[in-house]
Structure formats: structure tokens, C-alpha cells
């Protein structure tokens, strides 16, 4: 089920890229996943039966509004798939600040509203260099208090080709290396992995997979 969620939602994210960025980083350079950093969390399991509304994610300038909506849908479906909350809705109206986020949550008659932000999403190149950082704030619409505040980032190190004289000599007598099949565009995959980790944390996990 989880794989199906990722496939469908990565397709949505990529469709939002088509008009502005046709080539996300997609080379087989290993990524480094940092653990989620939890700044605020509930001391008691008070919100297990709460309903949640997920707002469009705020995004950096190199992303489109459609991509922000796609990230929100990704988080909504992952939260449902992980059974972090019994009811999770996608709220389509954008917001500018926390007060507007709370107002939209009250309008939708949910208990909590997820206000997320993609702080940066860098495409990288065939040698790596992709980077993503996401922060999520889960707000109690009745009190205005922050229930969860989590940040997480992922990095794709640079992997430059060897450039010594001997390497260049060998390359002149050998055909170029055939690159292996790609697992999928790097930035959407990073966003999906972050969504799974944050959903696990909100569902009560003490640790996430590396």
C-alpha cells in the first residue's frame, strides 16, 4: 500500500515540474538522510483520535504552487497510510501565516491543521548535489498551540568523476560507462522519505529507519 501511495504521488509531484523544470536530479549518487529533529511534541498521547487538515506546503521560489499542493497530498496520504490519525483531509486554500492556517482549520472543522514548508529543494546534477529540507508544524485549531514541530533534511553529496591524466588516458580507449537504471527523480524521492519519517514520528515511533 505504501509503495502505491509513493508511486501515485510522485507522479503528481513530477507533473507539477513539467512546465518549469523538466529534469530533476536523477543520477545514482547516494543520498544522506538526516534524522527528524523534533522541537515540539505532545507529552501525552492526546491526539490519537484527532482529525487533521493538511494545507498546501509553502515552497521556495524554484518550485511551483502545484508542487506545494502535491507535497501536501503526499503528506496527507502517508499520514493516512501510517494510521497516524483516523481522518486526514487535504485543504486546498493557501495561507500566509499561522493565524490564517488556524482559521482554515476551523473552517474545515478539523482538530489539527498541518502547516508545512519546503525550506529548500535543490535539483543537483548528474554528479549529485541535491538537497531538501522540510519543516512541519501541527497546530491545535482550538487553542492555537503547536502540537508537533519537526524539521528534517536530506543531502546528496557531490561525486565528481576522476580527472587524473591516467584516468583521461584510459577513458580515451574505453567506451563511456552505461549508467544503471534510475530509481526515480531524487528530490521527489527525498520528499517521500521525509513524509514517511515524519508520519512515523507523529504516530509514536521513537526512531526511524536509516
Amino acid at each position: 500500500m505504501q509503495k502505491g501511495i509513493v508511486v501515485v504521488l510522485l507522479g503528481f509531484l513530477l507533473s507539477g515540474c513539467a512546465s518549469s523544470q523538466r529534469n530533476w536530479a536523477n543520477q545514482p549518487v547516494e543520498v544522506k538522510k538526516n534524522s527528524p529533529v523534533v522541537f515540539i511534541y505532545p507529552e501525552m498521547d492526546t491526539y490519537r483520535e484527532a482529525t487533521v487538515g493538511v494545507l498546501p506546503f509553502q515552497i521556495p521560489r524554484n518550485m511551483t504552487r502545484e508542487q506545494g499542493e502535491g507535497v501536501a497530498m503526499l503528506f496527507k496520504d502517508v499520514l493516512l497510510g501510517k494510521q497516524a490519525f483516523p481522518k486526514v483531509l487535504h485543504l486546498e486554500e493557501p495561507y500566509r501565516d499561522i493565524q490564517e492556517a488556524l482559521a482554515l482549520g476551523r473552517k474545515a472543522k478539523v482538530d489539527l491543521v498541518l502547516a508545512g514548508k519546503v525550506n529548500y529543494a535543490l535539483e543537483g546534477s548528474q554528479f549529485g548535489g541535491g538537497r531538501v529540507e522540510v519543516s512541519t508544524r501541527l497546530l491545535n485549531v482550538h487553542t492555537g498551540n503547536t502540537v508537533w514541530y519537526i524539521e528534517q533534511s536530506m543531502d546528496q553529496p557531490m561525486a565528481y568523476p576522476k580527472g587524473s591524466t591516467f584516468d583521461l588516458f584510459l577513458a580515451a580507449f574505453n567506451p563511456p560507462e552505461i549508467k544503471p537504471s534510475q530509481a526515480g527523480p531524487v528530490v521527489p524521492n527525498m520528499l517521500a522519505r521525509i513524509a514517511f519519517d515524519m508520519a512515523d514520528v507523529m504516530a509514536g515511533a521513537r526512531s526511524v529507519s536509516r
Side-chain angles (χ1 to χ4, degrees):
M1 178 180 178
Q2 293 177 356
K3 290 183 179 179
I5 291 173
V6 173
V7 169
V8 171
L9 289 167
L10 290 185
F12 187 93
L13 284 168
L14 290 172
S15 68
C17 303
S19 60
S20 59
Q21 291 183 340
R22 295 186 178 277
N23 294 314
W24 292 74
N26 61 357
Q27 299 300 318
V29 178
E30 184 179 358
V31 298
K32 176 185 177 182
K33 185 179 76 167
N34 299 311
S35 298
V37 179
V38 181
F39 293 93
I40 301 174
Y41 61 93
E43 294 184 357
M44 300 179 63
D45 189 13
T46 310
Y47 300 98
R48 179 63 62 187
E49 300 302 319
T51 58
V52 178
V54 181
L55 294 165
F57 271 53
Q58 295 181 337
I59 52 173
R61 292 183 178 180
N62 65 319
M63 294 179 69
T64 65
R65 177 178 175 181
E66 288 77 12
Q67 288 173 300
E69 294 173 352
V71 177
M73 290 184 65
L74 170 68
F75 270 75
K76 183 208 75 169
D77 281 4
V78 171
L79 286 169
L80 282 173
K82 291 284 188 177
Q83 299 181 341
F85 302 98
K87 184 177 181 181
V88 185
L89 306 176
H90 174 226
L91 308 183
E92 297 182 357
E93 295 183 57
Y95 69 97
R96 289 174 296 184
D97 53 34
I98 289 178
Q99 294 307 314
E100 285 191 1
L102 291 169
L104 290 171
R106 288 190 289 267
K107 180 181 176 182
K109 300 185 185 306
V110 295
D111 301 312
L112 307 173
V113 66
L114 180 67
K117 182 178 181 180
V118 180
N119 298 315
Y120 58 75
L122 302 181
E123 175 181 341
S125 70
Q126 63 177 321
F127 304 118
R131 300 183 67 196
V132 168
E133 182 183 272
V134 176
S135 59
T136 55
R137 186 182 296 271
L138 197 60
L139 299 159
N140 184 322
V141 302
H142 307 294
T143 66
N145 294 333
T146 297
V147 176
W148 287 95
Y149 182 72
I150 310 172
E151 289 186 358
Q152 188 174 4
S153 63
M154 294 186 68
D155 298 278
Q156 189 186 36
M158 299 298 293
Y160 294 108
K162 296 179 180 179
S164 67
T165 302
F166 182 69
D167 291 324
L168 295 174
F169 175 78
L170 289 179
F173 292 93
N174 290 281
E177 179 184 358
I178 299 176
K179 291 185 179 295
S181 175
Q182 307 304 314
V186 168
V187 169
N189 275 324
M190 286 180 174
L191 290 168
R193 292 172 69 179
I194 288 174
F196 276 102
D197 282 356
M198 289 190 177
D200 279 339
V201 170
M202 292 181 189
R206 296 295 184 93
S207 62
V208 297
S209 61
R210 299 295 295 178

